């Protein structure tokens, strides 16, 4: 992630209209666009932030993608959780270096990558994903951004049927019926452990909160995150006209009275 751009790395090419293309640098590679061809050799060995030109003279800014940029550009199987919610999830679920996490479903792996970065090499994520094609897609996305040396084990299985990892610190869910996981999370989490669920509709939240109220979990909270960009251009300093109106709700709870 530092130093001159190297073969095998992903870079983001940004054109004058701020359109983005993510490519992987290859020896002898070429990037073809309607605005001409770009030789990868112009970027390999160069620092980030340079501007290069296609054969037809179009300027492209070359930058390494941040995690946020990568998850928005990477190939998707399932819909990803957006960066506006990924950051708050780390805080709400208090993800720490060394944490042991059960994550389900894994989907495209956007949340997985975010959690992996926060837990570092001493943590561990077990991911339960019901679809083997999504599990493969997620593994490939994680590898493309973080490499193969990551503490991640993605298993193809249904989390509604149970959690087979003892003594975990966090259960992080992005699936339609998380109330089926509350009982399994009670049994698998260490005391004080945190349960977090991302849900798109408030009726799902309501069902989950009722199930949590009837469990050993307490201190439940539900929030949504609103993110409004601003246009800052000379005298025109105002909120953007458009914003993403809705993604999902975040519900968090802590294991207070573990059974036994
Ligand atoms: N958070 C992911 C996206 C997850 S999409 C990301 O940021 O990329 C929801 C995923 O849950 C889908 O891949 C779906 O196949 C999976 N899923 C749904 N029900 C499940 C279950 N019972 N057990 C495991 N995975 C499940």
């Amino acid at each position: 992630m530092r130093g001159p751009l190297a073969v095998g790395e992903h870079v983001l090419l940004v054109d004058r209209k701020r359109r983005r293309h993510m490519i992987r640098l290859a020896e002898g590679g070429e990037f073809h666009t309607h605005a001409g061809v770009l030789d990868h050799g112009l970027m390999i060995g160069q620092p980030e932030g340079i501007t290069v030109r296609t054969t037809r003279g179009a300027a492209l800014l070359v930058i390494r993608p941040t995690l946020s940029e990568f998850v928005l550009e990477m190939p998707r199987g399932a819909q990803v959780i957006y960066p506006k919610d990924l950051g708050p999830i780390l805080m709400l679920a208090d993800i720490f270096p060394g944490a042991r996490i059960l994550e389900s479903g894994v989907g495209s792996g956007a949340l997985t990558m975010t959690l992996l970065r926060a837990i570092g090499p001493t943590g561990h994520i077990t991911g339960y994903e019901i679809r083997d094609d999504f599990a493969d897609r997620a593994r490939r996305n994680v590898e493309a951004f973080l490499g193969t040396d990551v503490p991640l084990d993605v298993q193809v299985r249904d989390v509604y049927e149970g959690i087979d990892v003892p003594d975990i610190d966090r259960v992080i869910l992005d699936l339609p019926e998380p109330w089926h996981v509350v009982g399994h999370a009670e049994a698998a989490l260490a005391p004080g452990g945190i349960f977090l669920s991302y849900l798109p509709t408030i009726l799902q939240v309501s069902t989950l909160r009722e199930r949590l109220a009837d469990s050993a979990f307490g201190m439940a909270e539900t929030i949504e995150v609103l993110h409004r960009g601003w246009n800052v251009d000379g005298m025109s300093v105002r909120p953007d006209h458009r914003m993403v109106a809705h993604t999902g709700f975040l519900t968090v709870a802590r294991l207070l009275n573990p059974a036994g």
Side-chain angles (χ1 to χ4, degrees):
M1 300 290 292
R2 294 202 176 104
L5 299 171
V7 169
E9 277 196 272
H10 285 83
V11 291
L12 205 60
L13 304 175
V14 187
D15 72 12
R16 288 210 349 242
K17 292 189 174 158
R18 296 204 184 178
R19 281 179 304 221
R20 291 152 177 234
H21 305 274
M22 191 165 70
I23 63 164
R24 194 166 198 161
L25 293 176
E27 206 78 66
E30 287 182 339
F31 171 65
H32 290 254
T33 105
H34 62 277
V37 178
L38 180 68
D39 181 353
H40 288 197
L42 295 174
M43 297 174 274
I44 295 165
Q46 299 298 314
E48 276 186 78
I50 54 163
T51 296
V52 291
R53 288 190 180 275
T54 66
T55 46
R56 290 175 50 195
L60 290 166
L61 174 69
V62 186
I63 200 96
R64 281 190 178 97
T66 61
L67 174 57
S68 256
E69 288 161 341
F70 189 86
V71 304
L72 295 176
E73 302 294 329
M74 73 187 188
R76 297 177 189 184
Q79 173 69 277
V80 299
I81 296 184
Y82 279 84
K84 104 174 159 66
D85 298 302
L86 291 172
I89 286 172
L90 295 181
M91 267 324 215
L92 278 173
D94 197 35
I95 304 300
F96 59 93
R100 290 165 52 86
I101 299 178
L102 184 286
E103 187 202 354
S104 187
V106 178
S108 305
L111 177 56
T112 315
M113 287 179 214
T114 307
L115 295 170
L116 279 169
R117 265 205 171 170
I119 64 173
T122 59
H124 191 267
I125 299 179
T126 305
Y128 284 5
E129 168 55 54
I130 206 161
R131 286 187 49 170
D132 58 353
D133 54 338
F134 287 176
D136 281 345
R137 167 50 61 210
R139 289 188 195 102
R140 283 200 299 271
N141 281 340
V142 169
E143 182 182 341
F145 194 71
L146 296 174
T148 48
D149 193 16
V150 286
L152 171 67
D153 174 23
V154 178
Q155 303 177 13
V156 178
R157 55 188 287 174
D158 182 346
V159 74
Y160 298 161
E161 289 179 356
I163 296 176
D164 259 350
V165 201
D167 226 20
I168 43 181
D169 302 303
R170 307 290 183 254
V171 170
I172 312 288
L173 303 175
D174 175 11
L175 37 69
E177 300 185 348
W179 44 92
H180 297 310
V181 188
V182 171
H184 307 317
E186 272 176 330
L189 276 170
I194 298 181
F195 173 100
L196 182 140
S197 169
Y198 171 93
L199 284 169
T201 82
I202 205 67
L203 290 180
Q204 290 167 297
V205 170
S206 173
T207 307
L208 174 61
R209 291 293 299 263
E210 276 173 23
R211 179 68 187 87
L212 284 170
D214 193 25
S215 75
F217 287 98
M219 302 175 76
E221 253 186 85
T222 297
I223 68 156
E224 65 175 316
V225 178
L226 305 178
H227 171 133
R228 186 167 73 159
W230 279 61
N231 181 75
V232 180
D233 183 13
M235 294 300 283
S236 170
V237 181
R238 52 155 179 81
D240 285 340
H241 293 306
R242 295 199 179 90
M243 65 188 279
V244 175
H246 179 66
T247 54
F249 302 100
L250 304 175
T251 297
V252 69
R254 296 195 72 181
L255 189 64
L256 303 179
N257 300 298

